[in-house]
Amino acid sequence: MFAVHLMAFYFSKLKEDQIKKVDRFLYHMRLSDDTLLDIMRRFRAEMEKGLAKDTNPTAAVKMLPTFVRAIPDGSENGEFLSLDLGGSKFRVLKVQVAEEGKRHVQMESQFYPTPNEIIRGNGTELFEYVADCLADFMKTKDLKHKKLPLGLTFSFPCRQTKLEEGVLLSWTKKFKARGVQDTDVVSRLTKAMRRHKDMDVDILALVNDTVGTMMTCAYDDPYCEVGVIIGTGTNACYMEDMSNIDLVEGDEGRMCINTEWGAFGDDGALEDIRTEFDRELDLGSLNPGKQMFEKMISGLYLGELVRLILLKMAKAGLLFGGEKSSALHTKGKIETRHVAAMEKYKEGLANTREILVDLGLEPSEADCIAVQHVCTIVSFRSANLCAAALAAILTRLRENKKVERLRTTVGVDGTLYKIHPQYPKRLHKVVRKLVPSCDVRFLLSESGSTKGAAMVTAVASRVQAQRKQIDKVLALFRLTREQLVDVQAKMRAELEYGLKKKSHGLATVRMLPTYVCGLPDGTEKGKFLALDLGGTNFRVLLVKIRSGRRSVRMYNKIFAIPLEIMQGTGEELFDHIVQCIADFLDYMGLKGASLPLGFTFSFPCRQMSIDKGTLIGWTKGFKATDCEGEDVVDMLREAIKRRNEFDLDIVAVVNDTVGTMMTCGYEDPNCEIGLIAGTGSNMCYMEDMRNIEMVEGDEGKMCINTEWGGFGDNGCIDDIRTRYDTEVDEGSLNPGKQRYEKMTSGMYLGEIVRQILIDLTKQGLLFRGQISERLRTRGIFETKFLSQIESDRLALLQVRTILQQLGLDSTCEDSIVVKEVCGAVSRRAAQLCGAGLAAIVEKRREDQGLEHLRITVGVDGTLYKLHPHFSRILQETVKELAPRCDVTFMLSEDGSGKGAALITAVAKRLQQAQKEN
Ligand code: BG6
Ligand code: BG6
Ligand code: GLC
Ligand code: GLC
């Protein structure tokens, strides 16, 4: 009995001595609570540095956005392939998520070896090897005939700009294959897979193992928002608020951030706690100077740290009686599994002896106790460091959520955490001590990270399917060159048709003679009034033309025309116009002056002379009664009479295209075409009189107002019209009419966009499937909004703001789609307009028998002026379709009122000349 006591006393004394000895020796490795709190603070600062745009490039902790935006919600399903590369084992898997409506995951997997010559050899060969393993797996599982999406768990730091792409920043742990760093690993693997012709696999997601782990655990516990790996390497990810992630656009919701905490300290931030052993270990590693934090924590390094310590202690005569074995001198001889075994509760000491003997040493009892304690200090430091960084993440989460107490779950995986007998308990305890304000649950990921990776892939695959649906819709708006050539040819045919006497009456492109026979010659002079009705704004103008100098001074005022007047009676409309003229004359102090007036009236009119124009039919937003079939000049005269306040001499009525051509022609005599791409769409040009069969005479030229907006009203372009165009047409004031205009002008483009958005929303592809009242409202997308949304300088966030102003509550993804829809619609419009214009310039070239034609087009209209891409695409199309015409586009800065005044001046001069004769 006494002997037993004596033994026990002896043993505990021995133990105490040994522990004291080791504690003294490794004093620097034991971290106090204060030090841990300090490390925690430092790590918090590192996280902020990594998240901010300007400090990220120099940050050691990279805080990589993962493009994983939500934890699983249970709706994921499907069959997926999965690769798990970068941990201690390489696995290929097939994952079946949620079969028959059950929240259930089934996995079949196979491990493949990763020999050093592969993971440290040539990069291309590494990916070929991975692809070969996948092919082998698919063959054994009889999957080769299937097209399956694949999620790739790749446990190295990758810079991602989307889910299915990742540029390797650097290898870590045991990998060092050449020529992979700075390349996209997804495309590398995709390329390698192409060698297997019978394999049809699409890599939809690249995820870090921390992310996979978090997602795996979150499938079972929705509170899980952190993933930690303590295995070969160490790392953590967590859900960060988008508003804090500078590197990714948008601030709604959250995104998972892969912290890559292993690199903490790479900038020297941990030098004060690193020991001589850490430095030695680093020098002998594959990546010296890198992954400082990881090298103090993870499984790949713990055993080696212990070995270096034992060697030093032996050398100092503190162990093994100063004896060292050659194994103890050999790098890698002590592994983490040894450390874990030595720290086992009961068998620990026996295990230690065995391991040391295997290393060719002859340990005493005291040696075994000391070595065991070395292991404890090293692994305890590891758990402490991990805890400090994790505590920083948890604190950040709590603060992001602005809650007093945070209830959360941390998903964990990795061999060190799994096989080390004390590690989990120590880690949990320290974390809870460091963040008392968090109720943390630690959840071990039983099934590895691939289950989570499959969840991410499932979501990606759903997004991909939705993308396909969206693309299908957008494809309807993509015109091939052949289609555009066809439009050009048809337009050309319609132009000719409208010029011929026998077909003119039936033509949809009306080809209306304007009785404007020449461009201004610079001799025009005088004071004129002009009206400009039919575009976005109604204006009254005073134009003073000075002869000789080609200079014009203009004064104008914009007046509103309320909807009820636009669509009321003709009398009301013209009375309103006269009221505006009266106001303007008043405003200018011109009451009583009877000035010559030019009337820009931007609707199709049949003219028999310059001062007579019978309205054929309203277009755009006008629909006043009792006007169609009437002479608008007469109607204006009568309204002036009704008011009986002043008299005006109405000399000319002109279309806006004609006014625009004249405005530009005043500066450039080569301007023989006028184009409007605004609320409506139309074009006029100078035609040889001999080609105009409806007007007598063969000499000289006359301007023809084509009214090309009616192109297609006979169904000739129905092949390119979409269901959305039909919808817009049916909801318009003039169904069946102006089909080309409805595909090309500002008043309708927004409506087409709206129809598409409604359809996409119905299909559940936008706005969470909710069609809001606003979206049902006709006309919300004015040209100016389209132009803003499509501006390249605009960040997504601003697009969202615009949509919000329009009352559309969108996510960032929605905004991207809306922008794409706008782009597709406006691009088609510009191309169609370009094809029409190409038809006219080619006609003019051929008519004049020219090899090359040089011509200027005067252009006006808000679509052309405001839209960021319309004019460029229009011009490119003309160039493409009419390569032998050199077309200059001249923007009409002064509107068509100036041109109308010039026409009036010419007409007045001719009137005078006639009188004098
Ligand atoms: C596995 C995961 O369970 O753990 C891997 O499936 C991960 O994705 C690994 O990399 C980490 O642990 P270790 O110890 O294998 O590096
Ligand atoms: C203006 C012209 O500048 O442009 C008008 O003065 C013309 O005559 C108008 O109708 C066309 O553009 P929008 O976009 O206003 O219809
Ligand atoms: C290394 C890798 C990291 C990974 C971790 C755990 O730190 O850089 O991406 O998550 O190991 O496997
Ligand atoms: C409509 C009108 C046309 C006008 C064009 C541009 O197409 O019918 O006359 O030129 O809009 O405003």
Side-chain angles (χ1 to χ4, degrees), residues 656-729:
D656 54 354
T657 53
V658 184
T660 299
M661 182 181 79
M662 281 296 164
T663 301
C664 295
Y666 196 51
E667 262 129 66
D668 178 352
N670 213 19
C671 180
E672 294 207 330
I673 297 179
L675 173 70
I676 298 283
T679 315
S681 170
N682 193 14
M683 185 270 299
C684 74
Y685 72 105
M686 295 305 290
E687 176 61 277
D688 298 325
M689 278 294 281
R690 62 184 148 86
N691 293 335
I692 311 173
E693 291 186 0
M694 299 82 65
V695 183
E696 279 192 19
D698 277 348
E699 287 302 300
K701 298 183 200 174
M702 182 183 279
C703 176
I704 293 288
N705 167 17
T706 64
E707 286 293 329
W708 78 8
F711 176 48
D713 288 3
N714 58 1
C716 72
I717 50 169
D718 279 0
D719 56 328
I720 56 166
R721 287 175 78 228
T722 66
R723 55 183 184 274
Y724 309 104
D725 295 302
T726 314
E727 202 84 43
V728 169
D729 179 44

Side-chain angles (χ1 to χ4, degrees), residues 391-432:
I393 291 179
L394 294 174
T395 310
R396 186 168 173 96
L397 271 176
R398 188 178 62 80
E399 290 178 5
N400 278 350
K401 292 192 183 175
K402 302 187 175 64
V403 290
E404 283 281 306
R405 286 201 75 75
L406 175 75
R407 172 181 169 187
T408 194
T409 299
V410 176
V412 199
D413 202 350
T415 30
L416 177 55
Y417 185 85
K418 282 204 270 204
I419 67 165
H420 191 286
Q422 268 89 253
Y423 203 98
K425 252 179 291 154
R426 290 180 191 157
L427 176 79
H428 304 171
K429 198 167 158 196
V430 182
V431 168
R432 291 187 177 119

Side-chain angles (χ1 to χ4, degrees), residues 537-540 557-561 576 579-581 583-584:
N537 295 308
F538 169 49
R539 284 171 213 263
V540 186
K557 213 168 167 205
I558 291 176
F559 294 91
I561 301 196
H576 179 77
Q579 166 76 52
C580 296
I581 301 174
D583 285 357
F584 181 73

Side-chain angles (χ1 to χ4, degrees), residues 11-53:
F11 185 75
S12 67
K13 178 80 176 77
L14 182 72
K15 195 170 170 185
E16 204 184 301
D17 290 347
Q18 293 307 315
I19 288 176
K20 272 194 189 142
K21 175 176 83 185
V22 173
D23 280 350
R24 262 197 309 276
F25 190 75
L26 293 180
Y27 170 77
H28 208 59
M29 276 201 163
R30 299 174 57 212
L31 306 173
S32 69
D33 286 357
D34 282 345
T35 309
L36 290 182
L37 284 169
D38 185 38
I39 293 171
M40 182 177 153
R41 267 192 297 275
R42 285 189 224 173
F43 189 69
R44 286 214 55 188
E46 288 294 326
M47 288 169 79
E48 261 155 47
K49 201 170 161 193
L51 284 173
K53 202 175 209 147

Side-chain angles (χ1 to χ4, degrees), residues 709-781:
F711 176 48
D713 288 3
N714 58 1
C716 72
I717 50 169
D718 279 0
D719 56 328
I720 56 166
R721 287 175 78 228
T722 66
R723 55 183 184 274
Y724 309 104
D725 295 302
T726 314
E727 202 84 43
V728 169
D729 179 44
E730 282 166 6
S732 69
L733 284 177
N734 51 352
K737 301 259 170 69
Q738 302 290 97
R739 296 193 191 171
Y740 181 65
E741 175 162 86
K742 285 171 186 164
M743 297 165 91
T744 52
S745 79
M747 180 163 165
Y748 304 100
L749 295 196
E751 273 304 279
I752 303 177
V753 167
R754 194 175 66 85
Q755 291 301 340
I756 301 174
L757 298 188
I758 290 179
D759 186 37
L760 293 180
T761 311
K762 275 190 194 151
Q763 294 185 50
L765 303 168
L766 264 184
F767 305 132
R768 303 175 186 90
Q770 300 293 315
I771 302 183
S772 62
E773 260 325 296
R774 281 302 283 171
L775 198 56
R776 282 185 222 280
T777 316
R778 211 173 271 162
I780 50 165
F781 281 105

Side-chain angles (χ1 to χ4, degrees), residues 83-92 110-116 119-120 129 153-156 172-175 209 213 229-234 294 298-301 335-337 413-419 448-449:
L83 292 177
D84 190 354
L85 181 71
S88 52
K89 293 203 169 105
F90 167 41
R91 271 208 291 182
V92 183
Q110 193 166 321
F111 290 103
Y112 288 89
T114 44
N116 279 346
I119 64 176
R120 294 183 205 156
Y129 173 76
T153 305
F154 185 73
S155 310
F156 301 96
T172 54
K173 302 178 285 192
K174 294 182 197 165
F175 281 61
D209 52 354
T213 299
I229 298 280
I230 308 168
T232 315
T234 184
E294 178 161 90
S298 77
L300 183 59
Y301 308 104
E335 295 175 23
T336 295
R337 62 189 167 93
D413 202 350
T415 30
L416 177 55
Y417 185 85
K418 282 204 270 204
I419 67 165
S449 59

Side-chain angles (χ1 to χ4, degrees), residues 557-718:
K557 213 168 167 205
I558 291 176
F559 294 91
I561 301 196
L563 194 69
E564 60 274 21
I565 299 244
M566 279 162 74
Q567 297 172 17
T569 68
E571 258 191 35
E572 281 164 348
L573 173 63
F574 280 89
D575 283 347
H576 179 77
I577 291 172
V578 172
Q579 166 76 52
C580 296
I581 301 174
D583 285 357
F584 181 73
L585 292 175
D586 241 2
Y587 170 75
M588 295 296 295
L590 283 173
K591 260 249 168 97
S594 167
L595 295 173
L597 178 137
F599 184 12
T600 303
F601 183 71
S602 310
F603 301 94
C605 287
R606 187 165 310 285
Q607 293 190 253
M608 299 307 285
S609 62
I610 187 85
D611 62 349
K612 280 191 177 22
T614 307
L615 175 63
I616 297 176
W618 287 116
T619 55
K620 301 180 280 192
F622 281 72
K623 192 99 191 140
T625 54
D626 311 318
C627 298
E628 294 179 350
E630 301 295 322
D631 179 357
V632 293
V633 177
D634 281 347
M635 293 189 73
L636 183 59
R637 280 203 186 107
E638 275 157 32
I640 294 173
K641 244 188 240 152
R642 273 199 297 280
R643 190 175 177 99
N644 199 16
E645 246 181 57
F646 51 82
D647 198 19
L648 292 172
D649 175 15
I650 308 169
V651 181
V653 56
V654 297
N655 188 261
D656 54 354
T657 53
V658 184
T660 299
M661 182 181 79
M662 281 296 164
T663 301
C664 295
Y666 196 51
E667 262 129 66
D668 178 352
N670 213 19
C671 180
E672 294 207 330
I673 297 179
L675 173 70
I676 298 283
T679 315
S681 170
N682 193 14
M683 185 270 299
C684 74
Y685 72 105
M686 295 305 290
E687 176 61 277
D688 298 325
M689 278 294 281
R690 62 184 148 86
N691 293 335
I692 311 173
E693 291 186 0
M694 299 82 65
V695 183
E696 279 192 19
D698 277 348
E699 287 302 300
K701 298 183 200 174
M702 182 183 279
C703 176
I704 293 288
N705 167 17
T706 64
E707 286 293 329
W708 78 8
F711 176 48
D713 288 3
N714 58 1
C716 72
I717 50 169
D718 279 0

